[in-house]
Structures are given as C-alpha cells and as structure tokens.
Amino acid sequence: MWVKLAFKLFSREFRRGELTIIFAAIALAVLTVFSLSSITERIGLNITQKSSDFIAADRRLSSNHAIDTQVLSKANEFGLETAKLLYFDSMLFANDELVLGAVKATTQEYPLRGKITIKDALTAEPYEVTTGPTEGSIWLSEGLFYTLNVEVGDKVELGAGIFNISKVLVKEPDAPFFSLSGNKRVLLNYNDIEKTQAIQPGSRIFHRYLYKGEEQQLTDYYAWLKPLLKSNQEWQGIKDRQSPLGNNLDKAERFLLLAGLFGIMLAAVAMAVSAKRYCERQYDPVAMMKTLGGSRRIIRNIFLLHLSLVTVFSIAVGLMVGYVLQTIGADYLISVMGAELPNAGVKPWLLSSFIGLICALMFSLKPLLDLFDIPPLRVLRRNLGDTLAISRVHIALSLLTIFALMWLFSGEIITTLILFVSTLFVIAILFGISRLLFAAGRSLGLRPGSSWSLAIATLQKRANANAIQLISFALAIKLMLFLVVLKSDIIDDWQQQVPEDAPNMFIINVAENEIAPLETFFIDKNIPHEDFYPVFRGRVDALNGEAFARKTSKQEGEEKDEEAKEGKRREPNLTWLSTLPDDNEIIEGEWFADNIAESEQIEVSVVDHWRDSLDLELGDVITILVNEQVIEAKVTSFRKVNWATLKPNFVMILSTNMAGKVPVMYFSAAQIQEQHTKDVSQLLQRYPTISMIDIKARIEQAQSIIAQVSIAIGFVLSIVLISGALVLISQVQASLAERMQEVVILRTLGAKGRLIKLATLYEFILLGAIAGLVAAIVSDVTLFVIQQQLFNVDGRLHFYIWLLGPLSGAVFVSAIGYFMVARTMRQNTQGLLRKLS
C-alpha cells in the first residue's frame, strides 16, 4: 500500500520539481568525478605511454649477466610482448682505421615502444622505422662513418665478423641521456652476436630485457618475477628514471590528481547542502502525513524509496552526461595534440558511481532523520522543527566521509590532508566572518529606500543559510583560483627549466687544443653554446682521513667493515670553475675566493643531496681518487642545482688550483638547428674523436608533457567552473520560495521593483566578495605548502589573487545568482502568490 503511495508522491514531486535539487546534486557529484577522473586518467595514460618511448618499452629488466630463458617465456604466458638487448664494446675495422664502438644487439621485436630514426645515406633525409637491422647488416652512427671513412653499402669488421653497413643510425628511443660513447654507436642484429666472437667468458657485457603490455599484466608478471631477481638486476619503468623527463611526468600526474580531488570536494559540498535543503522543504508534507495518521515507519519507507529512486536515476544521468562531457573534452585534446588518448577503463565508472552512492547515503542520513522527527503540530505552528539541532556526530561523519573519498581517489595521504585541512580552515573562517558581519550589520540599521540596507537586512535574516552559501561559494572560488595559479606557476616553472634557448646537443671528448677551433666554428655559424668545462671522473674515497667502506669479495671470504662509513659507489664527472654556474645556488658556505689559484689547499663545492648522503659539513676534507691519484679537497660550500635545465651541471666543483693535476677532457653543450646539420657533419669529419650527443628528443618530450598538461588544466578548469556554477544554482534555487515571499511582502509594503532588484544584486555581490577574499587568502597559503611538499619548487605568495578573488567572486556569484532570481522578480504579485500556494 505504502509503495503505491510512495510512487504517486514521487511522480508528483518530480513533476513539480521538488526533487530537482537533490537530483542535480547527486548527478553533479557523479558527472564531475567521472569526467575529471576519466579525462585525467586518459591524459595520464597518454603521457605515460609517450614517455615509455624513451625506454623503448613499458618496463625493462637490466642485468649484468644473462638470465634464465624461463623469465621471457613466462612473460609470454602473462600476455606480454618482449625483446632482448645486449650491450658490449668491440673494435670496428675498415679502410685501415680502427675504432672502439659501443654495440647494442637487438632482436627484431625492438623497439616495443617508440621508433628508430635512420638515414639511407649521410646526406639523405632521416625517417623512422619500428625494427632494427636484419642478420648480416649493421647500422652505424654518423661519427663512425667519418672515423672509419666508410659509406652505406661498404663492409666493416666487427670483432671476427664482417657486416654490410646498411643504414646511418640517427637516433634510438632508449639511447642513454649522457654516454661517453657519444656518436660511436652500433646497432646489430641479436642473432649476429656469435658471429662477432666478441663475447667471451669474462667479457664486460650488459643485458636488457624489454616488456610491453597492460598495466595489470605487468604488475602480475613483476609479482612473479620479483622473488627471482638478484641484487645486480633492476626492474625499471619510466618513472624510475632519474631525469628531467621522469620528474616532469611525476609532477604532471600529481597535478592531474589534484584536479580529481577538487571535483570530489565540490561534489560533496553540493550534495550535503542540497540534501539538507530538500529535507527542509519536506517538513510541511511530513507534518500533514502524520496529522492524517501516517506512521513513522511508513513515512520513513516512503522517503527512503524516494531517495533510492532519485539516487539511481541521478547516478545514471550523471554517468551519461559525464561520459559525453569527457568524450567532447577528449576529442578536443586529440585534435590539439594530434594523438589518440587511451581508454580510461572501468575505474572512473566504478569510482563515480560509488561516490554518488556514498554521498547520497551519508549526506542525506541526518536530514532524513530530522525529517522523520517533524511534529504533527507543525500544520498549526509552521515554525516547529525549523530549529532542529545540528548533530555534531553527523558533521563529523560527513567530514570523515569526504576525507575517506578523497583518500580513496588519490591514494596519497599528504595530498589529501593538505587540501582537507585547508578546506576546514576556509569553513571555520567563513563561519566566523559571517557571524561578525551579520551581527555588525544590525547596528547599521535599516535606512528606508536604501538597497544596501535592504541587502544587509536580508543577509541578517538568513544568517545560517548565508553562512552555508558562503562556504559553498568560497570552496568553488578556492578551487578555481587554486587551479589557475598552480597552472601558471607549474607551467612557468617547467618552461623555465626547458627554455627555448636550452642546449640540445652535448659535445664531449674535446681535447684542449680543439677548444679554440670549436668556439670559432660556433661563432662563425651563429650557434649558441655553453662554456667548455674540464671534466674528469673521480670517486670520493674518504672523509677527514677516514676511508669509506670498500666493496668486499665474498668469494675470498672477506667480511665487511661494519664501522666504516658508506660512501658513493659511482664515479661522477667532476670539474673546476672560477665562477658559480647560472643554475646553481649557494645554500651554505661561500664560493671560492678570487685568489684561490695562489693557495695550495684545493676547495670543493658539493651539491646538497650529496651532503646528506655523505654526512658532510663545512670544513670537512674529502679524499677524491682519480685513477691512481689521490686529491684532498676542503668542503667550503653546498649548492642547490636545477638539473632539469639540461645544461652542464656537476655534483662537485673544485677550485681552479686543481688545474694541471689530473688529465681531463672538455665538455660543452650547444643549440643545434636543422640548418646546422651539414656543417656539424663536416666538423665531425675534421675532428673524428669528438662526440656529439643529440638530446633534442628529450627536450621535445618534456615540452610535449608541458603542452598536454596545460591543455588538460584548461579542461579541468572548465569542469570546475561548470560544477561551481551548478552548486551556486542549486543553492539559489533552494531559496527561491523564501525569496518569493519576501518579494510579495516588500511589494505589499510599497517597495519599488528597482529597489528589490538592486538589493538582491548587492546581496550576491557581498556574498561573492567575502567568499572570494577568504578563498584567495586560504588558496594562496595552501598553494605555498603544496608547491613545496608536492612539486618540490620554491613556494611563493601571489598577492594579486587577493584582489582577483573578491572581484571574481563578486562577479561570478552575482551574475549567476541574479540571473536565477531575475525571473521571479519580473513576475507580478498575483503570480507569485499563486506559485507560493
């Protein structure tokens, strides 16, 4: 019986628009979360796939020795595509010339991601291919052609084998970012390794295995593989690479994650406010039902069924609208980026449906319980039930729900905490401001005929409702300001890291007598270049006379010295300089004195993260082992280095009195354009020992990530703007009936239409300006923390948004709010009374 009545009431209330608010709120929650999570996931997948080109696969396994064939066969069982690589050095011989080349032997499946760039001749145009050389042929980098004085089609000896030179190797997707092999690279077919006879017991070789597949397949395979890995084997993805590319990818994903969190926060606020408004509008019908004999159980079942129906319907509509919205956004991004976006999968569908369901349940529970407690006497005394106490337990549960949903979506507790705490801060400040403002407004009095006085009086009358509206408006404005400023800062930071004039070519293996002709060449050809830095390799062997722990031999039964400090295993490139490089900043200590050349004490400036790992302090003396030579240097400063600039940088810089003590080569970087290609080729012919490393592809990839994230941010901003507008519309729509009553009363008392319209406009301007000011201040402080904690950039305050916030808030809120109530104010008094009845 009650089910039939419930459906009748549901149908009538739906036609009358009584369920519009809560329906719109749930649909808003679902479509916001779906569209944001879907588009950000698709962009994130696209960025990851593009970035995977730079390791020629989705994952790679590196090993110093061959691994069991079961490892690759098992990968095929998991549905993964695989390829094998082998790296070794070997001599090449042709035309009485002998040179050591860096050989990479590949199977035909290589590369699994990305493409190889080759040329049919030194003067031909480059093009891309998806497989390596066939058996019996070999591809050489351009420098080897000049050193060996060969052309495409000639024969070359590699080890004991003779191969046909079939292509000029221009670029490999997984070429090392910096390698001393430079332009002495060789690409060989994997099946020809035995022909070279270069691999003998004890040979220094390096194995790499590539994998391509879906993320779940890779994760499952790694779970099987991990227990089998040795300590000298490493499983890597693009995020594991310590490079500007990997760092920018991580920043991009963090930004897209923030965008999704903003959508959840906005949706939760909309749902909480709308559910309360809807239930308040049902106080009179519930009182009438109880007067006519309706039991609490029947009333509860009716409204729970209403909530269930509207929840299911709104989730379905939200998913459909969200899908259309993200499809339109994805199509736009595809047209701009010129690349297909991968499908997002089922996560956005499940996540948005779950969030819509949880929001409907958690944020409607307390308002529904209040609704069931409405006394029947309300039919006689209309104010009964209006002052139901706010449950602290419900508030705590609601906040906990929002926090849990944000954490579920992000998976990062720090990010969630920063945004959640800043939001609570906004709420607390706005409640305090609203109380002070509305209390202070009473002392101003109501001056007849003043629109401002009428606006302030209206704000005072709806103090509690306006406090909630202030919070909703402020959160929407806060999220918009947050995204706008963060976009500007992060994108500007990335563009500064990779500026337009960034070098795109490293020049290495330069002898001292070759510096002058190279500089003359660069000047004559108008090629921007960096200084030539003396470079040598050295290992930090001791600190203040105490040797670091050395590597022990288990074969000989040596035991590790547990008391010795751990040092750095690798030998970094070191240099000496008289002036501090542009992208370096002294954070402690002082740079070398001008007269340091006259001193016998060598000084050293150390990068900050080496200070921490070696436990260094100013004044310490470190022992550097260069070949067999021992160099002692005093630590006089610590530096912060921006490695992402792609300019030459060093972990340790020594003072200039180091010059002449160790043999060095020289190293520089230049910005080479397409028109310089022929000139550079002629230069390499004259100086065949010089190597040039092309890093243009790395720069292009970094710039591609920046462009994609910039476009994505624009899309996210539009979604947040639409969501904020919908929250505002639902807030204003909930108060339309009350506003109709006020208009009728004011007109009855003789108020003119212009007075009422201006008072309404001023009311929204005040609400928007206050909300915008608080949102701007809290956003700026939160941004300061976020930039330092999540993006590892220097946080800074943006005082211009302290003006932009109130201004944009006043315009945004007043425009939408006034538009919503303008139709009501244009109706005559008789029409309004008819609607109210």
Side-chain angles (χ1 to χ4, degrees):
M1 180 68 181
W2 67 266
V3 175
K4 184 177 180 180
L5 175 62
F7 274 104
K8 282 185 178 181
L9 290 174
F10 180 81
S11 176
R12 187 185 68 180
E13 290 184 3
F14 203 84
R15 287 196 305 269
R16 291 178 56 190
E18 293 294 320
L19 292 170
T20 303
I21 302 171
I22 196 167
F23 168 82
I26 300 175
L28 170 63
V30 174
L31 75 89
T32 301
V33 173
F34 181 87
S35 56
L36 284 178
S37 60
S38 180
I39 201 68
T40 52
E41 181 176 340
R42 295 181 69 179
I43 292 173
L45 288 173
N46 181 63
I47 291 175
T48 302
Q49 286 188 6
K50 291 293 183 182
S51 302
S52 295
D53 292 352
F54 279 75
I55 59 173
D58 293 323
R59 300 289 192 279
R60 67 187 185 190
L61 174 62
S62 302
S63 175
N64 290 327
H65 55 82
I67 60 176
D68 196 319
T69 55
Q70 178 192 7
V71 171
L72 287 182
S73 60
K74 193 69 175 180
N76 296 328
E77 293 180 19
F78 279 90
L80 299 174
E81 298 179 44
T82 60
K84 292 194 295 183
L85 308 180
L86 181 68
Y87 296 82
F88 61 95
D89 294 336
S90 184
M91 302 303 297
L92 292 100
F93 180 77
N95 297 325
D96 296 328
E97 297 289 345
L98 192 66
V99 65
L100 181 65
V103 183
K104 178 166 69 175
T106 69
T107 57
Q108 282 297 106
E109 295 81 12
Y110 170 86
L112 299 179
R113 296 282 187 192
K115 296 179 181 179
I116 308 171
T117 305
I118 58 175
K119 294 192 294 186
D120 293 329
L122 285 172
T123 56
E125 290 295 320
Y127 61 95
E128 295 179 335
V129 294
T130 56
T131 57
T134 57
E135 292 184 40
S137 64
I138 195 171
W139 296 355
L140 305 180
S141 61
E142 193 167 336
L144 285 172
F145 280 86
Y146 303 131
T147 304
L148 297 171
N149 193 24
V150 293
E151 296 179 356
V152 172
D154 291 347
K155 301 292 184 180
V156 65
E157 293 183 31
L158 175 62
I162 300 177
F163 299 92
N164 176 57
I165 305 172
S166 59
K167 303 292 179 185
V168 180
L169 178 61
V170 178
K171 182 174 63 179
E172 309 140 84
D174 58 339
F177 186 72
F178 182 83
S179 171
L180 294 179
S181 63
N183 56 348
K184 305 297 188 292
R185 306 188 321 278
V186 179
L187 208 59
L188 181 73
N189 189 282
Y190 200 88
N191 295 330
D192 286 333
I193 296 175
E194 186 176 350
K195 188 186 298 185
T196 67
Q197 298 182 20
I199 308 303
Q200 301 295 330
S203 295
R204 186 175 180 178
I205 58 177
F206 183 71
H207 295 264
R208 182 165 283 164
Y209 304 85
L210 306 184
Y211 301 88
K212 174 185 175 182
E214 299 294 333
E215 283 298 314
Q216 190 59 50
Q217 294 172 321
L218 292 163
T219 302
D220 294 341
Y221 174 71
Y222 180 59
W224 172 85
L225 176 66
K226 188 175 181 180
L228 304 178
L229 293 181
K230 305 293 190 298
S231 59
N232 60 353
Q233 295 174 332
E234 187 175 8
W235 176 265
Q236 286 183 319
I238 185 62
K239 296 178 186 177
D240 298 313
R241 300 192 72 192
Q242 297 300 314
S243 66
L245 176 62
N247 294 336
N248 283 345
L249 176 62
D250 184 61
K251 287 182 180 181
E253 291 189 341
R254 286 180 181 272
F255 195 102
L256 298 178
L257 170 67
L258 286 177
L261 288 177
F262 291 157
I264 292 178
M265 291 174 64
L266 205 57
V269 171
M271 183 62 217
V273 173
S274 300
K276 189 174 187 307
R277 291 292 192 189
Y278 169 73
C279 290
E280 287 175 353
R281 295 176 66 174
Q282 301 304 312
Y283 285 174
D284 290 342
V286 167
M288 184 66 69
M289 289 181 191
K290 288 185 175 181
T291 303
L292 297 175
S295 66
R296 178 186 175 88
R297 183 181 63 83
I298 291 177
I299 295 173
R300 181 192 62 201
N301 292 342
I302 288 174
F303 282 96
L304 287 178
L305 179 59
H306 286 184
L307 178 63
S308 301
L309 291 174
V310 77
T311 300
V312 172
F313 187 44
S314 56
I315 288 177
V317 172
L319 289 175
M320 288 190 293
V321 175
Y323 179 78
V324 172
L325 196 60
Q326 70 87 26
T327 301
I328 294 173
D331 290 343
Y332 171 72
L333 295 177
I334 290 171
S335 64
V336 172
M337 295 186 299
E340 291 293 330
L341 290 181
N343 292 325
V346 299
K347 180 181 176 181
W349 296 89
L350 297 177
L351 181 65
S352 53
S353 299
F354 178 75
I355 287 177
L357 185 63
I358 292 299
C359 285
L361 176 64
M362 294 303 298
F363 301 127
S364 301
L365 184 61
K366 181 57 171 61
L368 279 176
L369 293 177
D370 289 343
L371 180 61
F372 304 148
D373 289 335
I374 293 298
L377 283 178
R378 181 180 171 88
V379 296
L380 299 177
R381 296 178 58 188
R382 298 293 299 277
N383 61 339
L384 286 178
D386 286 347
T387 57
L388 289 173
I390 298 176
S391 171
R392 294 181 180 178
V393 175
H394 180 251
I395 292 176
L397 284 175
S398 298
L399 293 176
L400 185 61
T401 300
I402 295 175
F403 180 81
L405 291 176
M406 292 171 63
W407 192 7
L408 171 68
F409 181 81
S410 68
E412 293 193 10
I413 186 67
I414 295 178
T415 306
T416 303
L417 276 173
I418 292 174
L419 292 179
F420 186 74
V421 171
S422 69
T423 301
L424 292 181
F425 196 49
V426 170
I427 294 173
I429 291 177
L430 284 173
F431 262 119
I433 288 178
S434 63
R435 292 298 181 185
L436 290 174
L437 178 68
F438 302 145
R442 293 187 177 93
S443 63
L444 298 177
L446 180 60
R447 186 166 59 85
S450 171
S451 299
W452 280 108
S453 296
L454 183 56
I456 293 174
T458 306
L459 289 174
Q460 294 171 358
K461 180 176 179 294
R462 287 196 294 268
N464 291 331
N466 286 331
I468 296 174
Q469 284 187 341
L470 271 176
I471 293 171
S472 302
F473 300 159
L475 287 178
I477 297 168
K478 171 179 176 284
L479 300 185
M480 286 184 284
L481 290 175
F482 202 100
L483 286 176
V484 169
V485 178
L486 192 57
K487 172 192 174 182
S488 175
D489 281 5
I490 296 300
I491 297 300
D492 287 348
D493 178 64
W494 289 353
Q495 289 173 340
Q496 289 172 7
Q497 290 177 2
V498 190
E500 292 184 359
D501 60 347
N504 55 23
M505 187 78 73
F506 288 158
I507 302 101
I508 63 174
N509 293 330
V510 180
E512 187 172 3
N513 63 338
E514 294 172 331
I515 295 177
L518 281 178
E519 287 185 331
T520 302
F521 170 80
F522 288 140
I523 294 172
D524 291 344
K525 302 301 179 182
N526 196 26
I527 298 175
H529 69 285
E530 301 293 320
D531 294 334
F532 282 85
Y533 298 90
V535 176
F536 61 96
R537 296 173 69 87
R539 180 182 184 271
V540 180
D541 203 45
L543 173 61
N544 295 326
E546 181 182 352
F548 287 118
R550 68 180 184 87
K551 192 173 182 180
T552 57
S553 172
K554 295 181 180 179
Q555 180 67 34
E556 302 300 332
E558 288 185 304
E559 294 184 2
K560 181 181 177 182
D561 186 356
E562 299 296 340
E563 296 182 358
K565 289 185 177 181
E566 287 290 339
K568 288 284 189 179
R569 296 292 183 190
R570 70 184 184 94
E571 296 185 359
N573 290 316
L574 310 179
T575 190
W576 62 76
L577 295 173
S578 59
T579 58
L580 183 69
D582 292 338
D583 298 306
N584 289 233
E585 177 187 354
I586 299 292
I587 57 176
E588 188 177 352
E590 295 182 356
W591 186 248
F592 313 129
D594 293 336
N595 60 349
I596 188 65
E598 302 172 4
S599 172
E600 293 185 2
Q601 175 67 64
I602 296 172
E603 298 180 0
V604 62
S605 177
V606 184
V607 75
D608 54 352
H609 67 270
W610 273 56
R611 171 184 61 178
D612 300 333
S613 59
L614 295 178
D615 195 22
L616 298 176
E617 295 181 0
L618 292 177
D620 286 343
V621 176
I622 60 174
T623 301
I624 303 173
L625 190 63
V626 182
N627 298 324
E628 296 182 358
Q629 190 171 354
V630 176
I631 305 293
E632 290 190 345
K634 180 181 179 181
V635 179
T636 56
S637 66
F638 296 109
R639 291 171 294 117
K640 182 178 181 181
V641 177
N642 184 5
W643 298 97
T645 59
L646 303 181
K647 294 183 179 181
N649 275 308
F650 304 88
V651 294
M652 287 192 290
I653 300 176
L654 289 94
S655 53
T656 53
N657 54 351
M658 178 71 189
K661 297 185 182 299
V662 294
V664 297
M665 70 171 187
Y666 286 83
F667 163 61
S668 184
Q671 188 183 46
I672 307 296
Q673 305 298 333
E674 292 296 330
Q675 65 267 25
H676 300 139
T677 303
K678 185 176 181 180
D679 296 325
V680 170
S681 298
Q682 294 174 351
L683 177 72
L684 292 176
Q685 283 181 298
R686 293 200 302 271
Y687 302 99
T689 59
I690 294 176
S691 296
M692 289 196 175
I693 304 174
D694 189 351
I695 59 171
K696 290 195 292 289
R698 269 66 179 172
I699 296 176
E700 291 171 358
Q701 181 68 5
Q703 291 172 340
S704 173
I705 290 178
I706 293 171
Q708 291 187 43
V709 174
S710 180
I711 295 171
I713 293 168
F715 176 80
V716 170
L717 277 174
S718 63
I719 294 292
V720 171
L721 185 63
I722 293 171
S723 301
L726 290 177
V727 171
L728 176 57
I729 289 171
S730 65
Q731 287 274 24
V732 176
Q733 187 174 0
S735 64
L736 279 180
E738 188 176 355
R739 291 183 182 276
M740 288 182 186
Q741 292 178 346
E742 292 175 356
V743 171
V744 170
I745 295 172
L746 289 171
R747 286 180 179 176
T748 304
L749 295 175
K752 295 181 179 179
R754 185 173 181 274
L755 174 69
I756 300 174
K757 290 179 181 179
L758 287 177
T760 304
L761 181 61
Y762 295 157
E763 177 187 351
F764 286 118
I765 288 176
L766 285 173
L767 286 173
I770 296 169
L773 178 61
V774 176
I777 296 173
V778 176
S779 292
D780 209 13
V781 174
T782 307
L783 278 167
F784 186 85
V785 177
I786 287 257
Q787 287 176 317
Q788 290 186 324
Q789 297 297 321
L790 299 185
F791 295 99
N792 297 320
V793 299
D794 294 332
R796 54 184 180 271
L797 296 177
H798 311 79
F799 294 106
Y800 70 90
I801 71 169
W802 296 28
L803 177 61
L804 178 63
L807 182 61
S808 61
V811 173
F812 180 66
V813 173
S814 61
I816 296 179
Y818 186 79
F819 174 79
M820 287 293 298
V821 299
R823 183 179 176 184
T824 297
M825 290 184 292
R826 284 196 299 266
Q827 295 182 0
N828 57 36
T829 305
Q830 185 178 1
L832 291 176
L833 287 172
R834 236 189 336 262
K835 282 195 171 184
L836 289 172
S837 62

